[in-house]
């Protein structure tokens, strides 16, 4: 680029100006995040330039951080917003000319968890844990996390999801949830992974088909809580806690085949 004052004599010590191909955006991962911002959004496309003038813009707000990964990938950090809203995400290589082929990014209400049910299960995993809270989305990116282990969820309503606990070591783990597979809650609710209950003996070991026999069960790892049950075949019976190694149940009625 050279300069002339008389439209005839141009400078000879100018600078190179590059006419670049237009930026194209093909995908955002994730395509949604919380109002608080801070979500690292990976932007896939083409013609990104590794420059200090590389910026992302969410609606009218410029991202606090844009990181060049390759000419087809960059990372943008979402700024905070006040209300849930759909915004266009745009990219510029020169802090001036933004992409015209934008992608929509969605700001969501904050997700929260207020309770777990049950609050314990065997360390071997497989317990269906209900998470009670607010603003759960019916999305494949709505997940639970037991400490650092993410698991899929089943969406029931915007206030209830269910997740199966993974295998864990015995002890307490923190359970959190996310709507975008990245930004998790900070509820600090605990789930206790316990040794599985065992049955070593029962007395008596038989009774009438009418049911009502008081059966004493001896074993290990029993907990004095509302979820304590015996199961005779496929029929559940409420158990009475005696100790961590003993409980009692009434046998159910059995209909003759």
């Amino acid at each position: 680029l050279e300069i002339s004052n008389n439209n005839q004599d141009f400078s000879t010590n100018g600078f190179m100006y590059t006419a670049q191909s237009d930026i194209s955006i093909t995908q955002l991962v994730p395509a949604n995040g919380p109002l608080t911002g801070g979500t690292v959004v990976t932007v896939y496309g083409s013609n990104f330039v590794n420059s200090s003038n590389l910026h992302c813009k969410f609606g009218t707000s410029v991202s606090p951080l844009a990181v060049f990964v390759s000419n087809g990938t960059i990372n943008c950090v979402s700024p905070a917003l006040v209300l849930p809203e759909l915004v266009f995400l745009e990219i510029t290589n020169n802090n001036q000319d933004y992409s015209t082929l934008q992608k929509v990014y969605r700001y969501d209400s904050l997700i929260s968890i207020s309770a777990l049910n049950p609050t314990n299960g065997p360390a071997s995993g497989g317990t269906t844990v209900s998470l009670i809270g607010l603003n759960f989305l019916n999305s494949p990116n709505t997940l639970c996390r037991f400490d650092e282990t993410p698991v899929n969820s089943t969406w029931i309503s915007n206030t209830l999801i269910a997740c199966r606990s993974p295998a864990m070591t015995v002890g307490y783990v923190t359970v959190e949830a996310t709507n975008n597979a990245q930004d998790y809650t900070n509820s600090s609710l605990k789930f206790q992974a316990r040794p599985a209950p065992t049955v070593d003996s029962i007395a008596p070991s038989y009774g009438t088909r009418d049911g009502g026999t008081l059966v004493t069960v001896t074993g290990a790892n029993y907990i004095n809580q509302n979820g304590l049950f015996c199961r005779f075949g496929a029929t559940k019976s409420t158990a009475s806690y005696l100790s961590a190694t003993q409980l009692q149940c009434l046998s159910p009625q059995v209909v003759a085949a």
Side-chain angles (χ1 to χ4, degrees), residues 184-234:
Y184 283 85
T185 54
N186 189 27
S187 69
S188 299
L189 294 178
K190 300 294 185 180
F191 180 86
Q192 186 180 18
R194 300 180 60 95
T198 63
V199 178
D200 296 330
S201 65
I202 59 174
S205 59
Y206 54 88
T208 67
R209 289 183 179 273
D210 293 334
T213 302
L214 185 63
V215 180
T216 299
V217 182
T218 302
N221 305 321
Y222 304 145
I223 308 173
N224 188 11
Q225 61 180 16
N226 291 335
L228 190 61
F229 281 87
C230 298
R231 190 177 67 191
F232 293 77

Side-chain angles (χ1 to χ4, degrees), residues 102-114:
Q102 314 102 325
K103 285 292 181 180
V104 172
Y105 180 83
R106 189 183 70 237
Y107 279 93
D108 299 322
S109 298
L110 296 181
I111 184 175
S112 65
I113 308 171
S114 57

Side-chain angles (χ1 to χ4, degrees), residues 23-91:
I23 294 172
S24 174
I25 302 175
T26 58
Q27 187 181 13
L28 308 179
V29 178
N32 64 294
L35 291 172
T36 50
T39 302
V40 178
V41 181
T42 300
V43 182
Y44 296 97
S46 58
N47 303 319
F48 303 136
V49 175
N50 189 7
S51 162
S52 60
N53 290 317
L54 177 67
H55 293 287
C56 313
K57 187 167 67 174
F58 292 72
T60 59
S61 300
V62 176
S63 168
L65 182 65
V67 178
F68 179 87
V69 179
S70 70
N71 65 352
T73 307
I74 61 174
N75 291 327
C76 305
V77 177
S78 66
L81 208 62
V82 177
L83 296 173
E85 186 179 349
L86 295 174
V87 299
F88 285 119
L89 192 152
E90 304 169 87
I91 306 297

Side-chain angles (χ1 to χ4, degrees), residues 48-194:
F48 303 136
V49 175
N50 189 7
S51 162
S52 60
N53 290 317
L54 177 67
H55 293 287
C56 313
K57 187 167 67 174
F58 292 72
T60 59
S61 300
V62 176
S63 168
L65 182 65
V67 178
F68 179 87
V69 179
S70 70
N71 65 352
T73 307
I74 61 174
N75 291 327
C76 305
V77 177
S78 66
L81 208 62
V82 177
L83 296 173
E85 186 179 349
L86 295 174
V87 299
F88 285 119
L89 192 152
E90 304 169 87
I91 306 297
T92 179
N93 285 325
N94 64 1
N95 201 24
Q96 181 179 143
D97 302 308
Y98 280 87
S99 54
T100 56
L101 298 176
Q102 314 102 325
K103 285 292 181 180
V104 172
Y105 180 83
R106 189 183 70 237
Y107 279 93
D108 299 322
S109 298
L110 296 181
I111 184 175
S112 65
I113 308 171
S114 57
L116 307 176
N117 185 32
T119 57
N120 64 78
S124 56
T127 302
T128 298
V129 182
S130 295
L131 279 66
I132 303 162
L134 293 173
N135 301 319
F136 298 127
L137 297 179
N138 188 4
S139 163
N141 291 322
T142 298
L143 308 175
C144 302
R145 188 177 68 186
F146 291 75
D147 271 355
E148 298 305 315
T149 304
V151 295
N152 292 328
S153 73
T154 299
W155 186 86
I156 299 168
S157 72
N158 66 346
T159 61
L160 182 64
I161 58 174
C163 303
R164 291 177 68 85
S165 63
M168 299 167 279
T169 56
V170 172
Y172 287 91
V173 297
T174 301
V175 180
E176 306 293 354
T178 177
N179 277 330
N180 67 357
Q182 182 183 140
D183 302 299
Y184 283 85
T185 54
N186 189 27
S187 69
S188 299
L189 294 178
K190 300 294 185 180
F191 180 86
Q192 186 180 18
R194 300 180 60 95

